[in-house]
């Protein structure tokens, strides 16, 4: 047996080595003499048997080129996730340095390792990967989770900053650099006026990824956040449109540009911007209509959101429109209707998956921004060009923000303060959008492309790191109003809605058509036509505001009753434990079993109290229990009597223990105590959580008491 085993081992080892060696030789032969039109040995064998023959079956082969692309993608996603995990390990560090800056530093380290191993940078952030696979997820997430009311309330100011402010920054930076170049501050570089304007348009892109990463950590107030975030979101679309217009001018040549071409460029700017927004709105309507019909296929309805959102981006790109504005307005316009149409589990799935994709894309973007810098081939240094670019983007942004805010404050009901203007000016962070645009430049048309790439990288690192690190101390030092951590209560929501209706009535009475009047007209149009067309009938019924308020009040009462029972039970348990410790100090109990018993008693008491005090309809009672009308009346009287007793105990400041009797226990006869035989027919009950319901309960109790007396 031992000899047979050794013989089998020797034979298996010999066959394995022979097959591996033969497979290596065959693979080398096929790689050195490939057949025309054939890729890989497996395809050649399956294609018709014209490849080189093998003498044996290969047990294990190594086919790296077969899985190279998907393997690298999965590996880089894993590296990005691990990088984010490493960044989040030390919260004291992330509270000082923004997460985006730390990810860029990790990118530097990874880039140095790759360059040291390959002696060249084999991995960089290409414009195709960025604009087609990474950026759409981030922009869709930003649009989908946009606070609509706050965004559309400040829509005018956001458009002014995004359109006029971006054009101002692009023109002033480009003209300023061109003037300094004419003055000889940059030396001998081959850049003309149109190329300076094109560089000014791409460097004016305020990156929403960097803005979100920094301002969410700072927690500024809502108005300031929506101003900076909304401007950066729409600013990207405007920047891409300006970039394409100036790129066309550069391709056309300065000698061929006349007044007609300039007018065409201006018209193209507005057509591309508004056309992209219209494409996004059309796809938002299509998504809403599809989710209206997904009652029987709820398992796949979240997929429609991502597929159609991405198709809106690609469709706008195909039509040479603004793809960023398209996916922004697609996310903004569809969120209300799809949240109402879809199942609650589908809505939760969409939210979590969208956040996962957006955060993963942001992490990959910042890591590759750091990796792309470790490449000596792209670095060209020009001190004058780089320093003047950093100076101009700060100075002209401050001038533009203060100038536009001075004009807007004349028409705003609540003007933007000086401190808010400083934060808005300082919050113009540049990011991957500017790098993606500068990487798209053609080296044949732009002789100084590497200089522009180097300057853009320095601007991105300077703004993300320096401004990101100093943003939080600046906000604290200026005492900027922070965002409220708690959510609005029901009374505050009702009060805000009441004020909105009052403002609409004041505008209607005074004969003025203002912001509130237009919002009310849009609300009426939406309720009458859009909700009927885009929402399911069941979703429209659930939008009954009175029913929702009643439901919330009922839940609030139930929670308050449960809290009262648990508080009373905890007091009793603590008192009983003190007595046990005094009597039997050496008792050792099973804490897990004691905790389970305590929880069961708490749940039982809470269930009994809720069943006793909360309202149940007569029809519901009769359906679930076969009882007669007299028994229903007896149950009602007993419930009202117990409620009166609880009201009396609350008035006297005593919380008596309630004994839950079973049907096998005999009821004790009530003992009449002096002073409790009669009481006033008008009771002062405890205040209710809602004044209206409290008054109704008081009135019902008093009526019942009067009926009992008579």
């Amino acid at each position: 047996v031992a000899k047979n085993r050794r013989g089998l081992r020797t034979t298996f080892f010999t066959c394995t080595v022979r097959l591996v060696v033969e497979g290596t030789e065959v693979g080398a032969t096929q790689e050195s003499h490939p057949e025309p039109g054939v890729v890989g040995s497996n395809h050649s064998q399956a294609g018709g048997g014209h490849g080189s023959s093998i003498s044996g079956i290969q047990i294990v082969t190594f086919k790296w080129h077969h899985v190279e692309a998907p393997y690298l993608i999965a590996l880089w996603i894993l590296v990005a996730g691990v990088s984010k995990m490493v960044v989040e390990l030390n919260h004291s560090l992330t509270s000082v340095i923004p997460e985006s800056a730390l990810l860029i530093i990790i990118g530097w380290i990874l880039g140095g390792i790759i360059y040291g191993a390959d002696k060249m940078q084999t991995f960089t952030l290409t414009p195709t990967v960025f604009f087609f696979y990474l950026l759409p997820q981030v922009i869709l997430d930003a649009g989908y989770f946009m606070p609509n009311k706050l965004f559309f309330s400040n829509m005018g100011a956001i458009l002014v900053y995004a359109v006029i402010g971006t054009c101002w920054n692009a023109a002033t930076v480009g003209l300023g650099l061109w003037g300094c170049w004419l003055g000889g501050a940059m030396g001998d570089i081959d850049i003309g006026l149109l190329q300076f304007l094109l560089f000014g348009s791409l460097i004016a892109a305020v990156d929403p990824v960097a803005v979100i990463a920094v301002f969410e950590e700072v927690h500024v107030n809502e108005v300031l956040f929506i101003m900076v975030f909304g401007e950066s979101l729409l600013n990207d679309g405007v920047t891409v449109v300006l970039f394409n217009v100036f790129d066309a001018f550069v391709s056309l040549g300065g000698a061929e540009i006349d007044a007609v071409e300039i007018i065409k460029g201006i018209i193209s700017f507005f057509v591309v911007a508004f056309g992209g927004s219209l494409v996004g709105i059309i796809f938002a309507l299509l998504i809403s209509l599809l989710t209206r019909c997904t009652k029987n296929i709820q398992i796949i309805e979240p997929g429609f959101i991502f597929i159609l959102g991405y198709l809106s981006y690609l469709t706008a790109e195909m039509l040479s429109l603004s793809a960023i504005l398209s996916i922004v307005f697609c996310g903004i316009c569809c969120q209300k209707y799809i949240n109402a149409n879809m199942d609650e589990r589908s809505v939760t799935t969409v939210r979590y998956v969208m956040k996962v994709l957006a955060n993963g894309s942001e992490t990959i973007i910042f890591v590759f921004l750091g990796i792309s810098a470790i490449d000596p081939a792209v670095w060209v240094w020009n001190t004058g060009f780089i320093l003047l670019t950093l100076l101009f983007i700060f100075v002209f942004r401050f001038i533009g923000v203060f100038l536009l805010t001075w004009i807007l404050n004349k028409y705003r009901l609540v003007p933007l303060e000086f401190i808010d203007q400083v934060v808005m000016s300082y919050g113009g962070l540049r990011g991957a959008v500017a790098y993606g645009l500068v990487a798209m430049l053609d080296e044949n048309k732009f002789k100084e492309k590497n200089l522009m790439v180097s300057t853009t990288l320095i601007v991105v690192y300077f703004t993300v790191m320096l401004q990101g690190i100093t943003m939080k101390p600046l906000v604290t030092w200026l005492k900027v109003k922070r965002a409220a951590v708690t959510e609005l209560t029901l009374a505050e929501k009702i009060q805000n809605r009441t004020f909105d209706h009052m403002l609409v009535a004041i505008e209607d009475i005074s004969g003025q058509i203002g912001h509130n009047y237009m919002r009310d007209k849009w609300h009426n149009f939406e309720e009458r036509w859009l909700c009927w067309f885009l929402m399911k009938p069941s979703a429209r019924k659930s939008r009954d505001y009175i029913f929702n308020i009643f439901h919330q009040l009922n839940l609030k009462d139930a929670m308050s009753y449960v809290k009262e029972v648990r508080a009373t039970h905890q007091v009793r348990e603590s008192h009983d434990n003190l007595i046990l410790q005094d009597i039997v100090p050496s008792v050792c109990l099973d804490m897990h079993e004691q905790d389970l018993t305590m929880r069961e008693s708490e749940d039982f008491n809470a269930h009994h109290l809720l069943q006793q005090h909360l309202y149940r309809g007569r029809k519901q009672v009769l359906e679930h229990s076969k009882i007669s009308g007299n028994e229903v009346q007896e149950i009602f009287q007993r419930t009202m009597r117990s409620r009166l007793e609880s009201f009396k105990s609350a008035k006297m400041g005593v919380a008596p223990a309630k004994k839950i009797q079973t049907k096998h226990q005999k009821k004790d006869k009530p003992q009449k105590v002096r002073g409790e035989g009669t009481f006033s027919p008008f009771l002062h009950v405890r205040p209710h959580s809602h004044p209206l319901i409290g008054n109704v309960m008081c009135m019902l109790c008093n009526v019942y008491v009067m009926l009992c007396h008579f």
Side-chain angles (χ1 to χ4, degrees), residues 520-589:
D520 185 66
K521 291 299 180 183
W522 168 256
H523 179 73
N524 293 333
F525 172 76
E526 184 184 29
E527 291 293 328
R528 185 175 181 181
W529 299 105
L530 291 182
C531 292
W532 172 81
F533 183 62
L534 300 176
M535 283 188 180
K536 296 178 181 178
S538 59
R540 294 197 300 270
K541 289 181 181 179
S542 64
R543 287 168 56 84
D544 189 352
Y545 295 110
I546 297 177
F547 175 78
N548 289 335
I549 291 174
F550 172 75
H551 182 65
Q552 293 179 18
L553 289 173
N554 200 13
L555 288 177
K556 190 175 181 180
D557 291 340
M559 293 172 65
S560 65
Y561 279 126
V562 171
K563 289 180 180 179
E564 289 178 3
V565 170
R566 289 186 174 180
T568 306
H569 188 76
Q570 288 176 359
V571 170
R572 292 180 195 162
E573 289 293 333
S574 61
H575 180 68
D576 295 342
N577 289 336
L578 289 175
I579 295 176
L580 287 174
Q581 289 177 2
D582 293 337
I583 297 176
V584 188
S586 60
V587 175
C588 179
L589 300 175

Side-chain angles (χ1 to χ4, degrees), residues 12 107 150 168 247 310 341 399 413 448:
F12 179 76
L150 198 60
W168 161 267
D247 189 35
Y310 188 56
N341 289 334
I399 295 174
L413 182 63
E448 302 292 343

Side-chain angles (χ1 to χ4, degrees), residues 185-335:
M186 303 177 189
D188 187 13
I189 56 176
D190 188 8
I191 301 179
L193 174 60
L194 293 177
Q195 295 179 354
F196 275 117
L197 290 174
L198 184 139
F199 179 74
S201 66
L202 67 90
I203 207 65
V206 178
D207 191 16
V209 179
V211 169
I212 294 172
V214 173
F215 274 78
E216 282 186 348
E217 297 177 2
V218 176
H219 298 293
V220 295
N221 61 81
E222 295 177 345
V223 176
L224 181 58
F225 177 78
I226 203 65
M227 284 290 185
V228 179
F229 176 50
E231 182 227 344
S232 63
L233 202 59
L234 301 183
N235 166 277
D236 284 347
V238 176
T239 300
V240 174
V241 174
L242 277 178
F243 176 84
N244 292 329
V245 170
F246 284 116
D247 189 35
F249 283 162
V250 172
S251 301
L252 188 61
E256 302 294 332
I257 298 175
D258 52 7
V260 177
E261 298 298 332
I262 295 176
I263 293 174
K264 287 182 181 179
I266 296 174
I267 295 174
S268 174
F269 173 80
F270 288 101
V271 169
V272 171
F274 288 103
S277 305
L278 182 61
V279 169
I281 294 172
I282 292 173
F283 271 87
L285 296 177
L286 182 59
I287 294 173
S288 302
L289 285 175
L290 280 178
T291 54
R292 193 177 188 269
C293 308
T294 55
K295 180 180 179 180
N296 298 324
I297 51 171
Q298 294 179 355
I299 193 67
I300 65 170
E301 61 182 359
F304 290 120
I305 315 302
F306 301 100
I307 297 300
L308 289 175
Y310 188 56
L311 283 178
S312 69
Y313 184 90
L314 295 179
T315 304
E317 189 70 27
M318 179 183 64
L319 299 175
S320 299
L321 301 175
S322 177
I324 295 177
L325 292 178
S326 175
I327 198 170
V328 165
F329 281 96
C330 178
I332 290 175
C333 296
C334 75
Q335 58 164 315

Side-chain angles (χ1 to χ4, degrees), residues 504 506-515 517-518:
V504 173
I506 291 172
E507 290 183 358
D508 195 10
I509 293 172
S510 61
Q512 296 181 359
I513 299 178
H515 172 71
Y517 179 83
M518 297 300 297

